[in-house]
Amino acid sequence: MTSNATHGMSTAAVQFRLDTLSVLLVEDTQSERYFIVNLLRSMGMDVSSCASGEEAIELYQSEMPDIVISDWRMPGLTGPQLCQRLKQAPFPPYIILLTANNQAKHMVEGIESGADDFLTKPFIPSILKVRLLAAARIVKMQQHLTDQNLALNNALSKEQAYLAQVQADLDSAARLQGSLLPTSSKLINQWSLATRFQPAQDLAGDIFQCFNIDDSHLGFYLLDVTGHGIAASMQSFTLAQRLSCKSCHWDSLDPALIVTELNADFEDPENAGRFATLILGIANTDSGQVRITIAGHPQPILLDNDSATMMSLDSGIPLGIDNQFQYQYNSFFLSSEQHLMLYSDGLYECQHPTYGEFGQQRLLKACSDAHQLSPESLLHHLSHAIELWQQNSPRMISQS
């Protein structure tokens, strides 16, 4: 009873593993072909057969069987030659060669031709079952891997399409962000503007603008929202919209009022602790008087014919910290020989792989050393200095 039970379990395992596989038998001897076909069908396998290698190639192309069992010696294409042909297919089958020659040299030739296994004739049917079980495990594994690769490729294709759409959206958003930047270097009453915008990513949390308020006043600001990428850029875009001439009181000529109102309306919808620094000013182009309100932003640099100086103006807290905070403005006069440089912290926070941060003192020295350059040339000089400092590492955001 023990022996019969064991035999029954073994047979069930063969059926379970083999009944879903298809086999192509290539045997030129009719009696042997008939015997092997019936043996394979008794195992539950789906079997087709032919008498030559040439027929086998045609059948394989139309039926795509999982396993090919081929005789070695046949008229026309031999078994090894058939192996070589079938193994060139995109999805080659598992191939078992039947041979009457059991010499080692003969077996090596069969394996080198591409056969996965071989069986010496005459063979014991149970041995063929064992070889087919081994073949079934490999075929099933290959099918599983093929299905997984197909699923991965489909997922990758979808991901690539999604990323392409995201990149297109980012490009569109970057163009929209760029449309908010100044479009002309010529201002009223012979005042001029030089700018450089170098975002670390496609989108930046920094944005700046300079525009005419009336015939004798200019408005300008440099805004820097914490973080980089989409969230920061969207918030900077929202704040820039609120700073447009149609949305805030530029005609009051009071930068403190404008910044106080902007801070009171500051929103952090994600509750991520996001805040923004801002430097906002109004210049009288007739008298040269400049009124500036600073909300946690780096101090501006004043350049003249002799040197560059870091200004020391009163500064309030960044936007988004306390919506009840009341800002004040600083007032000073700018002569025709002086230039006012505004910049975001990305300009001096860029990192050297060995020496660390570029720093404000090094920035000030770079400006002082090049103070006689035109504003456009100075910005080019600073940009080049930053690139050298970073040694081709990812670029931080910088604007001037």
Side-chain angles (χ1 to χ4, degrees), residues 87-125:
K87 286 298 183 180
Q88 294 174 1
F91 301 100
Y94 188 95
I95 301 177
I96 300 175
L97 279 181
L98 302 178
T99 175
N101 193 333
N102 61 0
Q103 293 181 1
K105 181 179 178 181
H106 197 67
M107 296 175 184
V108 169
E109 181 185 349
I111 296 299
E112 289 180 344
S113 70
D116 299 288
D117 198 358
F118 59 89
L119 194 60
T120 302
K121 295 193 298 186
F123 56 83
I124 300 172

Side-chain angles (χ1 to χ4, degrees), residues 149-221:
N149 287 336
L150 181 60
L152 287 173
N153 286 334
N154 288 337
L156 180 60
S157 296
K158 292 180 180 179
E159 183 71 14
Q160 288 174 337
Y162 171 74
L163 291 177
Q165 182 59 54
V166 169
Q167 186 60 53
D169 291 342
L170 287 174
D171 292 341
S172 178
R175 288 192 296 271
L176 182 60
Q177 188 177 52
S179 69
L180 298 178
L181 301 176
T183 57
S184 174
S185 62
K186 301 297 184 181
L187 305 173
I188 58 175
N189 294 336
Q190 298 183 335
W191 284 54
S192 62
L193 174 71
T195 66
R196 183 164 292 238
F197 184 64
Q198 296 178 197
Q201 301 177 10
D202 291 325
L203 295 175
D206 300 44
I207 199 163
F208 59 94
Q209 186 54 270
C210 182
F211 51 87
N212 299 331
I213 299 174
D214 54 38
D215 292 341
S216 59
H217 291 92
L218 294 172
F220 59 90
Y221 65 83

Side-chain angles (χ1 to χ4, degrees), residues 19-33:
D19 58 5
T20 59
L21 297 179
S22 58
V23 179
L24 171 60
L25 174 66
V26 190
E27 172 61 68
D28 62 319
T29 303
Q30 184 176 358
S31 59
E32 291 192 20
R33 185 169 67 251

